[in-house]
Amino acid sequence: MRVAIAGAGAVGQSIARELLEGGHEVMLLERSTENFRPGSIPGAQWVHADACELSSLEETGIETCDVVIAATGDDKVNLVVSLLTKTEFAVRRVAARVNDPQNEWLFTEAWGVDVAVSTPRMLAAMVEEAVSIGDIVRLMTLRQGQANLVEMTLPEGTPLAGHRVRDLTLPRDTALVAILRKGRVIVPQSDDPLEIGDEMLFITSEEEEHRISALIHDPPDLD
């Protein structure tokens, strides 16, 4: 993929390195002369430009990118970048960094954001995930479809232990996308067994999250 990253600070550069290692083409947009250091990531295309300026985005050829990541430390800038790239240049996928959790409600498809990533929220979710067994933990909000990535660890005594994935009666608008078990990532198949301690990752709507909890603790018709 061709990916544009607005903001070449520590976060933007870290994302760029990861994407380059994955074989993707990366363009870094940075307006600050202090952060504009092409030598730090020579494999990326560096552009000294203001990503909030329509003319600057036109000059970069932003419309040729498959993904745009608004990764600056300013939420206002990230929202403007997201809106411009989505509405003016029809970039297929736009991800935005949320610096202040109080601003998270703004990062929706109305502002051109497909995926909003809040570092404080993710860190809090990781803490919850580390100590919560049998409780729903929301890891990420996928704004475009108003869906959430949630995790639940199968607790001791769960009726699901020993049953198989096919025995799950999932709520509507819900999909089991992965099972993490003893350091392994398992792509769920219908015959895969469920074990105590399995970390189950679901994509679901907010309205159905409570049904997943009920599914784990009191599943119907397990004979």
mmCIF file of all heavy atoms in Angstrom, residues 75-109:
data_model
loop_
_atom_site.group_PDB
_atom_site.id
_atom_site.type_symbol
_atom_site.label_atom_id
_atom_site.label_comp_id
_atom_site.label_asym_id
_atom_site.label_seq_id
_atom_site.Cartn_x
_atom_site.Cartn_y
_atom_site.Cartn_z
ATOM 1 N N ASP A 75 -5.152 17.451 18.125
ATOM 2 C CA ASP A 75 -6.402 16.847 17.667
ATOM 3 C C ASP A 75 -7.085 17.673 16.592
ATOM 4 O O ASP A 75 -7.709 17.129 15.677
ATOM 5 C CB ASP A 75 -7.354 16.644 18.847
ATOM 6 C CG ASP A 75 -6.947 15.473 19.725
ATOM 7 O OD1 ASP A 75 -6.123 14.652 19.276
ATOM 8 O OD2 ASP A 75 -7.454 15.380 20.862
ATOM 9 N N LYS A 76 -6.997 18.997 16.687
ATOM 10 C CA LYS A 76 -7.632 19.860 15.675
ATOM 11 C C LYS A 76 -6.996 19.610 14.311
ATOM 12 O O LYS A 76 -7.697 19.513 13.296
ATOM 13 C CB LYS A 76 -7.502 21.328 16.082
ATOM 14 C CG LYS A 76 -8.229 21.705 17.362
ATOM 15 C CD LYS A 76 -8.205 23.186 17.604
ATOM 16 C CE LYS A 76 -6.808 23.712 17.864
ATOM 17 N NZ LYS A 76 -6.216 23.174 19.120
ATOM 18 N N VAL A 77 -5.693 19.509 14.278
ATOM 19 C CA VAL A 77 -4.987 19.240 13.024
ATOM 20 C C VAL A 77 -5.391 17.871 12.473
ATOM 21 O O VAL A 77 -5.664 17.724 11.273
ATOM 22 C CB VAL A 77 -3.462 19.296 13.232
ATOM 23 C CG1 VAL A 77 -2.726 18.787 11.996
ATOM 24 C CG2 VAL A 77 -3.032 20.722 13.554
ATOM 25 N N ASN A 78 -5.453 16.874 13.325
ATOM 26 C CA ASN A 78 -5.794 15.528 12.868
ATOM 27 C C ASN A 78 -7.202 15.467 12.284
ATOM 28 O O ASN A 78 -7.452 14.753 11.310
ATOM 29 C CB ASN A 78 -5.653 14.537 14.019
ATOM 30 C CG ASN A 78 -4.204 14.330 14.427
ATOM 31 O OD1 ASN A 78 -3.288 14.658 13.666
ATOM 32 N ND2 ASN A 78 -3.994 13.808 15.616
ATOM 33 N N LEU A 79 -8.122 16.221 12.868
ATOM 34 C CA LEU A 79 -9.483 16.256 12.337
ATOM 35 C C LEU A 79 -9.530 16.937 10.969
ATOM 36 O O LEU A 79 -10.206 16.462 10.055
ATOM 37 C CB LEU A 79 -10.408 16.980 13.319
ATOM 38 C CG LEU A 79 -10.821 16.196 14.561
ATOM 39 C CD1 LEU A 79 -11.556 17.100 15.542
ATOM 40 C CD2 LEU A 79 -11.703 15.004 14.188
ATOM 41 N N VAL A 80 -8.820 18.043 10.825
ATOM 42 C CA VAL A 80 -8.816 18.763 9.550
ATOM 43 C C VAL A 80 -8.178 17.907 8.454
ATOM 44 O O VAL A 80 -8.694 17.808 7.333
ATOM 45 C CB VAL A 80 -8.075 20.109 9.684
ATOM 46 C CG1 VAL A 80 -7.872 20.749 8.309
ATOM 47 C CG2 VAL A 80 -8.849 21.052 10.595
ATOM 48 N N VAL A 81 -7.064 17.252 8.785
ATOM 49 C CA VAL A 81 -6.398 16.384 7.814
ATOM 50 C C VAL A 81 -7.338 15.258 7.383
ATOM 51 O O VAL A 81 -7.460 14.944 6.193
ATOM 52 C CB VAL A 81 -5.103 15.803 8.406
ATOM 53 C CG1 VAL A 81 -4.530 14.722 7.493
ATOM 54 C CG2 VAL A 81 -4.072 16.905 8.621
ATOM 55 N N SER A 82 -8.022 14.666 8.341
ATOM 56 C CA SER A 82 -8.939 13.572 8.034
ATOM 57 C C SER A 82 -10.066 14.034 7.126
ATOM 58 O O SER A 82 -10.403 13.369 6.136
ATOM 59 C CB SER A 82 -9.530 13.000 9.335
ATOM 60 O OG SER A 82 -8.522 12.495 10.172
ATOM 61 N N LEU A 83 -10.652 15.169 7.458
ATOM 62 C CA LEU A 83 -11.774 15.680 6.673
ATOM 63 C C LEU A 83 -11.351 16.014 5.248
ATOM 64 O O LEU A 83 -12.042 15.650 4.286
ATOM 65 C CB LEU A 83 -12.361 16.912 7.358
ATOM 66 C CG LEU A 83 -13.612 17.508 6.706
ATOM 67 C CD1 LEU A 83 -14.770 16.520 6.757
ATOM 68 C CD2 LEU A 83 -14.001 18.827 7.389
ATOM 69 N N LEU A 84 -10.223 16.690 5.095
ATOM 70 C CA LEU A 84 -9.764 17.089 3.760
ATOM 71 C C LEU A 84 -9.420 15.877 2.897
ATOM 72 O O LEU A 84 -9.808 15.804 1.727
ATOM 73 C CB LEU A 84 -8.544 18.009 3.872
ATOM 74 C CG LEU A 84 -8.798 19.422 4.380
ATOM 75 C CD1 LEU A 84 -7.490 20.191 4.474
ATOM 76 C CD2 LEU A 84 -9.765 20.168 3.468
ATOM 77 N N THR A 85 -8.685 14.934 3.462
ATOM 78 C CA THR A 85 -8.252 13.798 2.651
ATOM 79 C C THR A 85 -9.423 12.900 2.249
ATOM 80 O O THR A 85 -9.423 12.327 1.155
ATOM 81 C CB THR A 85 -7.186 12.963 3.389
ATOM 82 O OG1 THR A 85 -7.675 12.587 4.678
ATOM 83 C CG2 THR A 85 -5.911 13.762 3.556
ATOM 84 N N LYS A 86 -10.423 12.811 3.122
ATOM 85 C CA LYS A 86 -11.577 11.960 2.801
ATOM 86 C C LYS A 86 -12.533 12.645 1.832
ATOM 87 O O LYS A 86 -12.978 12.036 0.849
ATOM 88 C CB LYS A 86 -12.308 11.590 4.097
ATOM 89 C CG LYS A 86 -13.575 10.765 3.897
ATOM 90 C CD LYS A 86 -13.292 9.384 3.318
ATOM 91 C CE LYS A 86 -12.693 8.475 4.366
ATOM 92 N NZ LYS A 86 -12.588 7.074 3.899
ATOM 93 N N THR A 87 -12.867 13.914 2.094
ATOM 94 C CA THR A 87 -13.904 14.579 1.294
ATOM 95 C C THR A 87 -13.359 15.194 0.012
ATOM 96 O O THR A 87 -14.046 15.192 -1.009
ATOM 97 C CB THR A 87 -14.597 15.668 2.123
ATOM 98 O OG1 THR A 87 -13.630 16.649 2.547
ATOM 99 C CG2 THR A 87 -15.281 15.077 3.342
ATOM 100 N N GLU A 88 -12.147 15.730 0.045
ATOM 101 C CA GLU A 88 -11.609 16.403 -1.138
ATOM 102 C C GLU A 88 -10.811 15.476 -2.051
ATOM 103 O O GLU A 88 -10.716 15.713 -3.254
ATOM 104 C CB GLU A 88 -10.714 17.579 -0.713
ATOM 105 C CG GLU A 88 -11.444 18.664 0.076
ATOM 106 C CD GLU A 88 -12.509 19.359 -0.762
ATOM 107 O OE1 GLU A 88 -12.314 19.488 -1.993
ATOM 108 O OE2 GLU A 88 -13.529 19.779 -0.185
ATOM 109 N N PHE A 89 -10.225 14.415 -1.456
ATOM 110 C CA PHE A 89 -9.353 13.554 -2.261
ATOM 111 C C PHE A 89 -9.803 12.097 -2.281
ATOM 112 O O PHE A 89 -9.151 11.252 -2.891
ATOM 113 C CB PHE A 89 -7.909 13.649 -1.743
ATOM 114 C CG PHE A 89 -7.346 15.037 -1.847
ATOM 115 C CD1 PHE A 89 -7.384 15.895 -0.753
ATOM 116 C CD2 PHE A 89 -6.812 15.507 -3.030
ATOM 117 C CE1 PHE A 89 -6.880 17.181 -0.835
ATOM 118 C CE2 PHE A 89 -6.298 16.786 -3.131
ATOM 119 C CZ PHE A 89 -6.340 17.639 -2.026
ATOM 120 N N ALA A 90 -10.899 11.796 -1.588
ATOM 121 C CA ALA A 90 -11.517 10.466 -1.628
ATOM 122 C C ALA A 90 -10.540 9.346 -1.275
ATOM 123 O O ALA A 90 -10.550 8.274 -1.900
ATOM 124 C CB ALA A 90 -12.140 10.206 -3.002
ATOM 125 N N VAL A 91 -9.685 9.611 -0.289
ATOM 126 C CA VAL A 91 -8.792 8.551 0.190
ATOM 127 C C VAL A 91 -9.647 7.458 0.819
ATOM 128 O O VAL A 91 -10.554 7.728 1.608
ATOM 129 C CB VAL A 91 -7.782 9.107 1.207
ATOM 130 C CG1 VAL A 91 -6.960 7.973 1.817
ATOM 131 C CG2 VAL A 91 -6.862 10.120 0.541
ATOM 132 N N ARG A 92 -9.347 6.219 0.471
ATOM 133 C CA ARG A 92 -10.221 5.104 0.847
ATOM 134 C C ARG A 92 -10.269 4.872 2.348
ATOM 135 O O ARG A 92 -11.321 4.570 2.910
ATOM 136 C CB ARG A 92 -9.738 3.834 0.145
ATOM 137 C CG ARG A 92 -10.599 2.608 0.393
ATOM 138 C CD ARG A 92 -10.192 1.463 -0.523
ATOM 139 N NE ARG A 92 -8.789 1.121 -0.359
ATOM 140 C CZ ARG A 92 -8.339 0.247 0.554
ATOM 141 N NH1 ARG A 92 -9.193 -0.345 1.362
ATOM 142 N NH2 ARG A 92 -7.068 -0.031 0.648
ATOM 143 N N ARG A 93 -9.137 5.020 3.028
ATOM 144 C CA ARG A 93 -9.082 4.686 4.456
ATOM 145 C C ARG A 93 -8.317 5.773 5.199
ATOM 146 O O ARG A 93 -7.193 6.116 4.823
ATOM 147 C CB ARG A 93 -8.376 3.343 4.642
ATOM 148 C CG ARG A 93 -8.537 2.711 6.005
ATOM 149 C CD ARG A 93 -9.910 2.149 6.173
ATOM 150 N NE ARG A 93 -10.036 1.320 7.368
ATOM 151 C CZ ARG A 93 -11.179 1.014 7.942
ATOM 152 N NH1 ARG A 93 -12.303 1.455 7.425
ATOM 153 N NH2 ARG A 93 -11.227 0.255 9.014
ATOM 154 N N VAL A 94 -8.932 6.316 6.244
ATOM 155 C CA VAL A 94 -8.308 7.376 7.033
ATOM 156 C C VAL A 94 -8.313 6.976 8.506
ATOM 157 O O VAL A 94 -9.363 6.660 9.072
ATOM 158 C CB VAL A 94 -9.046 8.723 6.867
ATOM 159 C CG1 VAL A 94 -8.419 9.788 7.765
ATOM 160 C CG2 VAL A 94 -9.015 9.171 5.413
ATOM 161 N N ALA A 95 -7.135 6.970 9.107
ATOM 162 C CA ALA A 95 -6.995 6.689 10.537
ATOM 163 C C ALA A 95 -6.469 7.943 11.225
ATOM 164 O O ALA A 95 -5.655 8.675 10.652
ATOM 165 C CB ALA A 95 -6.049 5.518 10.773
ATOM 166 N N ALA A 96 -6.934 8.187 12.442
ATOM 167 C CA ALA A 96 -6.536 9.403 13.135
ATOM 168 C C ALA A 96 -6.164 9.113 14.585
ATOM 169 O O ALA A 96 -6.808 8.309 15.263
ATOM 170 C CB ALA A 96 -7.654 10.448 13.088
ATOM 171 N N ARG A 97 -5.140 9.790 15.040
ATOM 172 C CA ARG A 97 -4.692 9.698 16.431
ATOM 173 C C ARG A 97 -5.516 10.652 17.280
ATOM 174 O O ARG A 97 -5.700 11.814 16.930
ATOM 175 C CB ARG A 97 -3.211 10.057 16.495
ATOM 176 C CG ARG A 97 -2.622 10.212 17.889
ATOM 177 C CD ARG A 97 -1.209 10.761 17.769
ATOM 178 N NE ARG A 97 -0.603 11.021 19.073
ATOM 179 C CZ ARG A 97 0.556 11.656 19.235
ATOM 180 N NH1 ARG A 97 1.226 12.093 18.172
ATOM 181 N NH2 ARG A 97 1.045 11.866 20.442
ATOM 182 N N VAL A 98 -6.017 10.150 18.413
ATOM 183 C CA VAL A 98 -6.740 10.979 19.378
ATOM 184 C C VAL A 98 -5.818 11.223 20.567
ATOM 185 O O VAL A 98 -5.437 10.284 21.264
ATOM 186 C CB VAL A 98 -8.039 10.303 19.858
ATOM 187 C CG1 VAL A 98 -8.814 11.237 20.775
ATOM 188 C CG2 VAL A 98 -8.895 9.882 18.668
ATOM 189 N N ASN A 99 -5.461 12.474 20.790
ATOM 190 C CA ASN A 99 -4.542 12.804 21.875
ATOM 191 C C ASN A 99 -5.267 13.008 23.201
ATOM 192 O O ASN A 99 -4.791 12.583 24.254
ATOM 193 C CB ASN A 99 -3.744 14.060 21.519
ATOM 194 C CG ASN A 99 -2.860 13.855 20.305
ATOM 195 O OD1 ASN A 99 -1.764 13.329 20.393
ATOM 196 N ND2 ASN A 99 -3.348 14.273 19.141
ATOM 197 N N ASP A 100 -6.413 13.666 23.146
ATOM 198 C CA ASP A 100 -7.195 13.939 24.346
ATOM 199 C C ASP A 100 -8.463 13.093 24.300
ATOM 200 O O ASP A 100 -9.307 13.290 23.432
ATOM 201 C CB ASP A 100 -7.566 15.428 24.407
ATOM 202 C CG ASP A 100 -8.286 15.810 25.686
ATOM 203 O OD1 ASP A 100 -8.751 14.909 26.412
ATOM 204 O OD2 ASP A 100 -8.390 17.027 25.975
ATOM 205 N N PRO A 101 -8.639 12.143 25.223
ATOM 206 C CA PRO A 101 -9.824 11.281 25.196
ATOM 207 C C PRO A 101 -11.142 12.050 25.203
ATOM 208 O O PRO A 101 -12.160 11.551 24.730
ATOM 209 C CB PRO A 101 -9.673 10.438 26.470
ATOM 210 C CG PRO A 101 -8.208 10.413 26.740
ATOM 211 C CD PRO A 101 -7.711 11.769 26.306
ATOM 212 N N GLN A 102 -11.145 13.282 25.731
ATOM 213 C CA GLN A 102 -12.368 14.071 25.748
ATOM 214 C C GLN A 102 -12.797 14.487 24.342
ATOM 215 O O GLN A 102 -13.949 14.879 24.132
ATOM 216 C CB GLN A 102 -12.181 15.306 26.623
ATOM 217 C CG GLN A 102 -11.998 14.980 28.099
ATOM 218 C CD GLN A 102 -11.943 16.219 28.966
ATOM 219 O OE1 GLN A 102 -12.075 17.348 28.488
ATOM 220 N NE2 GLN A 102 -11.748 16.022 30.254
ATOM 221 N N ASN A 103 -11.880 14.416 23.395
ATOM 222 C CA ASN A 103 -12.203 14.776 22.005
ATOM 223 C C ASN A 103 -12.608 13.578 21.161
ATOM 224 O O ASN A 103 -12.931 13.725 19.984
ATOM 225 C CB ASN A 103 -10.994 15.450 21.349
ATOM 226 C CG ASN A 103 -10.642 16.774 21.989
ATOM 227 O OD1 ASN A 103 -11.514 17.465 22.522
ATOM 228 N ND2 ASN A 103 -9.374 17.132 21.958
ATOM 229 N N GLU A 104 -12.608 12.406 21.757
ATOM 230 C CA GLU A 104 -12.829 11.188 20.972
ATOM 231 C C GLU A 104 -14.174 11.191 20.248
ATOM 232 O O GLU A 104 -14.304 10.637 19.153
ATOM 233 C CB GLU A 104 -12.721 9.966 21.879
ATOM 234 C CG GLU A 104 -12.637 8.657 21.126
ATOM 235 C CD GLU A 104 -12.330 7.490 22.041
ATOM 236 O OE1 GLU A 104 -12.258 7.693 23.272
ATOM 237 O OE2 GLU A 104 -12.176 6.380 21.524
ATOM 238 N N TRP A 105 -15.182 11.807 20.836
ATOM 239 C CA TRP A 105 -16.519 11.818 20.225
ATOM 240 C C TRP A 105 -16.527 12.533 18.873
ATOM 241 O O TRP A 105 -17.415 12.285 18.044
ATOM 242 C CB TRP A 105 -17.517 12.485 21.176
ATOM 243 C CG TRP A 105 -17.254 13.952 21.408
ATOM 244 C CD1 TRP A 105 -16.386 14.499 22.295
ATOM 245 C CD2 TRP A 105 -17.869 15.051 20.726
ATOM 246 N NE1 TRP A 105 -16.402 15.870 22.234
ATOM 247 C CE2 TRP A 105 -17.319 16.241 21.273
ATOM 248 C CE3 TRP A 105 -18.837 15.143 19.727
ATOM 249 C CZ2 TRP A 105 -17.689 17.506 20.841
ATOM 250 C CZ3 TRP A 105 -19.207 16.406 19.292
ATOM 251 C CH2 TRP A 105 -18.646 17.564 19.849
ATOM 252 N N LEU A 106 -15.533 13.382 18.628
ATOM 253 C CA LEU A 106 -15.476 14.105 17.356
ATOM 254 C C LEU A 106 -14.928 13.248 16.216
ATOM 255 O O LEU A 106 -15.189 13.517 15.041
ATOM 256 C CB LEU A 106 -14.587 15.345 17.501
ATOM 257 C CG LEU A 106 -15.155 16.528 18.287
ATOM 258 C CD1 LEU A 106 -14.048 17.512 18.623
ATOM 259 C CD2 LEU A 106 -16.257 17.203 17.493
ATOM 260 N N PHE A 107 -14.177 12.227 16.554
ATOM 261 C CA PHE A 107 -13.464 11.455 15.534
ATOM 262 C C PHE A 107 -14.379 10.392 14.933
ATOM 263 O O PHE A 107 -14.256 9.203 15.206
ATOM 264 C CB PHE A 107 -12.209 10.833 16.144
ATOM 265 C CG PHE A 107 -11.097 11.824 16.373
ATOM 266 C CD1 PHE A 107 -11.176 12.742 17.401
ATOM 267 C CD2 PHE A 107 -9.978 11.834 15.555
ATOM 268 C CE1 PHE A 107 -10.161 13.655 17.623
ATOM 269 C CE2 PHE A 107 -8.952 12.744 15.757
ATOM 270 C CZ PHE A 107 -9.043 13.668 16.790
ATOM 271 N N THR A 108 -15.297 10.854 14.106
ATOM 272 C CA THR A 108 -16.275 9.986 13.473
ATOM 273 C C THR A 108 -16.193 10.141 11.957
ATOM 274 O O THR A 108 -15.424 10.965 11.436
ATOM 275 C CB THR A 108 -17.696 10.340 13.941
ATOM 276 O OG1 THR A 108 -18.025 11.647 13.437
ATOM 277 C CG2 THR A 108 -17.790 10.349 15.468
ATOM 278 N N GLU A 109 -17.011 9.373 11.257
ATOM 279 C CA GLU A 109 -17.010 9.469 9.801
ATOM 280 C C GLU A 109 -17.498 10.829 9.316
ATOM 281 O O GLU A 109 -17.209 11.227 8.192
ATOM 282 C CB GLU A 109 -17.866 8.350 9.209
ATOM 283 C CG GLU A 109 -19.313 8.351 9.642
ATOM 284 C CD GLU A 109 -20.073 7.162 9.079
ATOM 285 O OE1 GLU A 109 -19.583 6.554 8.113
ATOM 286 O OE2 GLU A 109 -21.147 6.860 9.587
#
